[in-house]
Amino acid sequence: MTTIFALATPPGRGAVAIIRLSGPDTERALEALGAGGLKPRLASLRKLSHEGAILDQALVLRFVAPHSYTGEDAAELHLHGGRAVVEAVSSALLDMGLAPAEPGEFTRRAFQNGRMDLAQAEAVADLVDAETAAQAAQALGQLDGALSQTYAGFRRDLLTALALVEAEIDFPDEDVPDHLARSAGPVLDKLLSDLRAALADADRGRRVREGYRIVLIGETNAGKSALFNALVRREAAIVTPIAGTTRDVLDADLIIGGYAVTLSDTAGLRDSNDPVEAEGVRRARARAQAADLRLRVRAPGDPDGPAAAYVRADDLIVWTKADLGGGVVPSEGFAVSAVTGQGIETLHDVLAERLARDLSGADFPAVTRERHRRRLSEAAEAVDAARVRLIDAPELAGDDLRRAADALSRVTGEIGVEDVLGEVFATFCIGK
Ligand SMILES: Nc1nc2c(ncn2[C@@H]2O[C@H](COP(=O)(O)OP(=O)(O)OP(=O)(O)O)[C@@H](O)[C@H]2O)c(=O)[nH]1
Ligand SMILES: [Mg+2]
């Protein structure tokens, strides 16, 4: 095993820069720097030097295996945060034969040494990336093992059912299917409904982690881009009286009510012979369909147009240009003006309420990644198949249950590890 090091703090100038070391040569490297023989887990101030030159006066922390983040011998050098100091210490470590860490390598070692499972390792990456309180809370829950425990619970139920099936098969008699339907059947029914509930809820975790997708959709000149600018508080989109101004989809990242949101402005929907506009309209439709929520933007007095086809029961209708006194107060939705700002605060509040409703609380810790969702759905499918076979071909039901257990183990990395490691750790930053 090589000994690795990396800058754990952001590159550039700062009060403190932390270089992390991990691996069997850690103590040798500390000694060579002039910080050998430190008491584990106690901060010690040492003058670090290399080949006779003083590099820095630093706070040094030493960790002895297995009591470290990685489970290996490890250390942290809390340096003065200037580029020259970090450069000098890094090149000294390179001279000593230590290797620069790959992205995610510290956490990968922690996983390989049994310090955390894969779902927890993913939570580390999520926590580092978290920009909203909700994202951080979700990642902390996952790091704490909440998600892992849910999957472990599913797996336990599966093994219970598997044991029942195998016991019956080993002592075959006439009534095997009957017995099984009574013993393993209810266990599988409950498991299946739990798996399906977790899957139904999977979108919530994704929406918190990646951002909730809100798309403005409407006919040309309805005022979508003007509303977009009012919501993002800058002149991000071009606004003109010419119908068909917007062609590309414009995305802006916002935080509304503590949740990450991606708001998109789109081309006004109409038939067009202009190939550029037609492509814009195609993209607008695709985005509207994939969105978590659509804001159907309408100008009072304009006839209902092609956007109507994209509105779903739960979507919001926003009437623009309220300052023009468009006459009738709409019976559905509410009125805003991008010019006077009327209704924009209210719209903001309504969106915050909607986000809280859609994204907070549920019985299960949210399934946060596509990788988990795929495995859960494989497991649900296999359990469903087993449920049918209990009656028809009980000797085959065990295979389905093993397949389901296998799918669940892959989420936490108990088995099938190698093929998922790359996928999980590729997204990490160096030093984590
Ligand atoms: N008075 C008033 N005019 C508005 C308001 N919102 C938009 N407009 C005007 O309506 C026209 C169209 O606005 P846009 O925001 O470009 O409309 P759009 O829906 O993005 O149009 P396309 O990009 O062509 O689909 C512009 O002349 C705006 O100045 C508003 O709240 N009040
Ligand atoms: Mg526009």
Side-chain angles (χ1 to χ4, degrees):
M1 189 56 85
T2 53
T3 299
I4 52 172
F5 74 94
L7 182 65
T9 43
R13 185 169 167 271
V16 177
I18 301 178
I19 289 187
R20 264 179 153 180
L21 284 64
S22 181
D25 284 339
T26 299
E27 179 57 15
R28 187 179 62 77
L30 290 182
E31 258 166 34
L33 288 170
L38 298 182
K39 268 208 162 130
R41 292 169 167 253
L42 282 181
S44 317
L45 191 62
R46 287 291 182 280
K47 272 207 180 82
L48 303 183
S49 63
H50 181 57
E51 292 173 347
I54 303 280
L55 304 176
D56 192 15
Q57 184 160 326
L59 211 56
V60 183
L61 277 162
R62 177 185 172 217
F63 303 90
V64 176
H67 305 292
S68 73
Y69 179 72
T70 54
E72 303 174 326
D73 281 348
E76 285 180 11
L77 311 175
H78 294 227
L79 308 168
H80 288 97
R83 288 174 198 272
V85 174
V86 171
E87 270 302 304
V89 173
S90 298
S91 67
L93 294 172
L94 276 177
D95 281 356
M96 295 170 195
L98 270 62
E102 302 285 332
E105 198 171 357
F106 287 89
T107 308
R108 185 177 185 139
R109 290 185 177 197
F111 165 70
Q112 278 165 339
N113 291 321
R115 304 289 290 171
M116 59 177 78
D117 66 31
L118 267 192
Q120 288 172 311
E122 286 170 329
V124 171
D126 287 352
L127 194 53
V128 171
D129 288 339
E131 285 183 357
T132 65
Q135 288 169 333
Q138 178 166 288
L140 272 172
Q142 188 170 330
L143 184 60
D144 208 30
L147 200 58
S148 310
Q149 278 157 26
T150 306
Y151 296 146
F154 292 158
R155 236 177 130 242
R156 263 197 310 278
D157 290 350
L158 257 179
L159 297 181
T160 308
L162 187 59
L164 290 169
V165 169
E166 299 207 318
E168 288 284 339
I169 303 290
D170 283 348
F171 303 97
D173 72 54
E174 305 277 284
D175 297 331
V176 168
D178 270 0
H179 278 150
L180 277 181
R182 257 175 297 155
S183 60
V187 179
L188 290 183
D189 286 345
K190 174 174 179 300
L191 180 60
L192 194 56
S193 92
D194 285 353
L195 284 170
R196 288 191 173 146
L199 276 168
D201 191 43
D203 242 13
R204 183 173 60 91
R206 195 269 307 154
R207 288 166 171 178
V208 170
R209 198 172 87 85
E210 293 173 13
Y212 187 93
R213 294 171 304 201
I214 302 180
V215 171
L216 301 177
I217 189 97
E219 287 73 30
T220 53
N221 262 350
K224 297 179 296 299
S225 298
L227 175 61
F228 180 79
N229 289 348
L231 286 169
V232 307
R233 295 200 181 88
R234 61 192 167 89
E235 298 300 307
I238 300 173
V239 173
T240 77
I242 301 165
T245 299
T246 307
R247 270 94 189 281
D248 283 312
V249 176
L250 253 81
D251 291 332
D253 293 330
L254 319 175
I255 295 177
I256 299 179
Y259 292 100
V261 169
T262 304
L263 182 71
S264 307
D265 182 24
T266 60
L269 300 187
R270 65 168 176 183
D271 289 330
S272 171
N273 293 324
D274 176 349
V276 180
E277 185 173 7
E279 175 60 17
V281 169
R282 191 193 65 75
R283 292 183 186 199
R285 294 179 196 274
R287 283 300 189 94
Q289 269 161 341
D292 297 314
L293 172 71
R294 283 144 295 274
L295 299 188
R296 157 74 158 124
V297 181
R298 288 190 71 176
D302 285 2
D304 207 2
Y310 293 87
V311 184
R312 300 183 197 170
D314 238 12
D315 289 341
L316 295 176
I317 300 181
V318 183
W319 297 86
T320 55
K321 311 187 188 184
D323 56 292
L324 296 182
V328 284
V329 177
S331 60
E332 226 189 340
F334 48 93
V336 301
S337 164
V339 170
T340 63
Q342 176 197 331
I344 300 292
E345 265 316 299
T346 317
L347 176 57
H348 205 273
D349 293 348
V350 169
L351 291 176
E353 269 171 39
R354 173 62 67 94
L355 288 161
R357 190 198 78 185
D358 283 3
L359 299 180
S360 68
D363 297 340
F364 291 107
V367 173
T368 48
R369 295 185 185 233
E370 177 57 20
R371 188 179 79 78
H372 303 187
R373 208 196 53 73
R374 258 188 346 248
R375 295 304 182 198
L376 285 183
S377 109
E378 271 172 41
E381 215 175 275
V383 170
D384 203 17
R387 190 72 191 82
V388 175
R389 281 189 170 163
L390 278 189
I391 319 286
D392 299 348
E395 63 287 356
L396 296 180
D399 290 346
D400 291 321
L401 294 180
R402 259 182 231 102
R403 194 153 53 83
D406 193 270
L408 290 179
S409 311
R410 278 168 202 271
V411 179
T412 46
E414 283 154 70
I415 56 164
V417 163
E418 284 312 318
D419 48 336
V420 289
L421 280 186
E423 184 185 339
V424 170
F425 290 103
T427 60
F428 274 68
C429 51
I430 294 173
K432 249 299 153 204

